[in-house]
Amino acid sequence: MNALELNGIETRIGRYNVLHEVSFTVPEGGVFVLLGRNGAGKTTTLRTIMGFWTPHAGSVRFRDTEISGLHTSVIARKGVAFVPEDMGIFRALTVAENMTLATARGQFDSARLDWIFDLFPALKTFWNTAAGGLSGGQKQMLAVARAIIEPRALILIDEPTKGLAPAIVDAMAEAFQEIARDTTILLVEQNFEFARALGRDMAVIEDGRIVHTGSIEAFAEDTELQTRLLSLSV
Amino acid sequence: MNQTLNRLGNVNLLPLVLALIAFGLIGSPSVWLTLTIAGLAMGMMLFLMASGLSLVFGLMDVLNFGHSAFASLGAFVAATVLAHMSGWLGSESWVLNLAALMLAIGVAVLFGLIGGFLFERIIIRPVYRDHLRQILITIGALIVIEQLIFVIWGGSPLNVARPRFLQGSFVWGNVSIETYRIFAVVLGVMVYAALYLLLNRTRVGLLVRAGVENREMVEALGFRVGRLFIGVFMLGSALAAMGGAMWAGYQQLISPTLGAQMMIVVFIVVIIGGLGSIEGTLLGALMVGLIDNYVGFLMPKAALASNMVLMMVILMWRPNGLRPAVK
């Protein structure tokens, strides 16, 4: 069983067709990376999966269940978590309140909370601090922690390393490796080195179309392909 | 200037600063105290009417110009209930007096809840995310409700009876304060405390505060903000009806145009306080209530313009209002 299957997704925002027949499959477990240049349609793909945009054609299947057209909250309750590019932190709420909202009943599983504090010790330090006062890296930690405070089947993460210091990016990579042991991650990323360190399979999107799928190691070895699709060389 | 203000206690101290300035200008302590209590009472009633509007805008980005129609509805419903309870209102027993008043406010709140539900379903739901259509349709709804009140209660101003125990004044030395105003302040403080506890000590309150800041993310965490919004809209409408019921007893004479008259001042309160914030709305309401009474005494001809001038000054200093919700 695959974690996620997109088949022929077409998403229209206003008068513009942003996604054109987007199809790819995210296998269960590990990190699947969606790469692409700015404006290629990466974020729209994640937002379509999460139900913020309803595709006008195609299907999104999560663990063999059709989820396109469902309300975002219903998709979330099925076990899909979302970490947006702007992190989506509630700045006026404390770290504890941000985390509480992500639990189904407002109560923490203490073992899981301890695991999260091991991954992100800063969150314990600033537990009762308003989230708006955290640094960019700490906010990203909170955004990821919120997504894993309860067991999820799939986490959609949009450019988590954007604007972060290298030390924080390394810490984030370690955390993602730990999380990916029992959760599937669909990672949208422009930092190819970060993606390569984590990912197993990948897809490249360009102008709203999937132009390449395969293993990330094979892609890393093909410099011509990287240059053509992403204008980068490793 | 902002840093100095923060050190001194932030914008929360502005009503106190305003009261101290007025004390210097008025001179007479007894007159000042009377005006201050009157201003606080007016502020508390404005808070009741405006708090729902602020939350509705903050949570769902809906501009509801029809909000004050619920104040009008609450005023007329309460006046009608009070008119049928004349026996209890005139009784020597303060318990019966209070029971009659609470029943009138309770029925007004019930009408506010039901009206709010219908208003959201019929008027607001089709125009989400379209401010221009929201403004047009809610102003239209305000006019329609006003005309319905005109049809049901007639066009003549309606007398509103006050319970016996709230008639007259409380005399302390040479200071005389209307008992009804003290009651309005006490009720307003109780409602604010209840709202504060609801928003800051409950899971529903946590969801509302989070929804005001980032509705989309709350949905991504598995909650239906739309359902939450209906609850907030009904609560806001009920609070407006409660404010209208209190206002009716305060003015003792109400007309069907009450809603339209209150609309401007309610919006001024919300804009001064900052959208989406209960604390900001209380601050804005107290400032408007105090300014209205102080200026009405010191410069009666300038009373009408005083709230507009206050709003302009506040917006030049803080374009998002005194204590807006974090967005």
Side-chain angles (χ1 to χ4, degrees), chain B residues 295-319:
Chain B
V295 176
F297 175 78
L298 293 166
M299 291 184 287
K301 287 182 180 171
L304 275 176
S306 62
N307 291 325
M308 287 288 185
V309 173
L310 176 69
M311 182 174 72
M312 284 164 55
V313 171
I314 297 281
L315 289 185
M316 280 193 284
W317 173 40
R318 291 194 170 205

Side-chain angles (χ1 to χ4, degrees), chain B residues 178-227:
Chain B
E178 266 190 65
T179 320
Y180 192 86
R181 289 174 177 170
I182 297 173
F183 178 76
V185 172
V186 171
L187 186 72
V189 169
M190 285 167 64
V191 170
Y192 173 74
L195 270 180
Y196 182 84
L197 289 175
L198 176 74
L199 288 172
N200 292 285
R201 297 280 184 272
T202 68
R203 188 161 169 83
V204 170
L206 191 59
L207 279 169
V208 172
R209 285 189 292 141
V212 165
E213 202 177 319
N214 189 341
R215 176 191 176 179
E216 204 171 67
M217 200 59 222
V218 173
E219 292 185 332
L221 292 175
F223 301 97
R224 285 253 187 192
V225 176
R227 287 179 190 164

Side-chain angles (χ1 to χ4, degrees), chain B residues 131-151:
Chain B
H131 281 160
L132 181 61
R133 288 176 69 203
Q134 284 167 13
I135 292 168
L136 293 174
I137 199 165
T138 54
I139 288 178
L142 174 65
I143 294 168
V144 169
I145 293 173
E146 210 173 84
Q147 291 304 307
L148 283 174
I149 289 172
F150 185 85
V151 168

Side-chain angles (χ1 to χ4, degrees), chain A residues 169-218:
Chain A
V169 172
D170 292 343
M172 205 58 80
E174 280 180 34
F176 284 4
Q177 276 167 344
E178 175 77 20
I179 295 164
R181 285 183 186 171
D182 61 357
T183 307
T184 307
I185 296 176
L186 171 52
L187 177 71
V188 158
E189 188 54 70
Q190 291 208 45
N191 179 342
F192 185 70
E193 282 304 314
F194 179 80
R196 185 184 178 185
L198 292 167
R200 189 177 59 200
D201 299 302
M202 59 163 292
V204 180
I205 188 167
E206 189 175 66
D207 292 335
R209 292 181 171 82
I210 296 295
V211 292
H212 175 82
T213 56
S215 84
I216 204 157
E217 275 315 309

Side-chain angles (χ1 to χ4, degrees), chain B residues 225-245:
Chain B
V225 176
R227 287 179 190 164
L228 188 67
F229 175 61
I230 296 168
V232 170
F233 199 93
M234 289 170 69
L235 176 69
S237 305
L239 286 172
M242 182 192 274

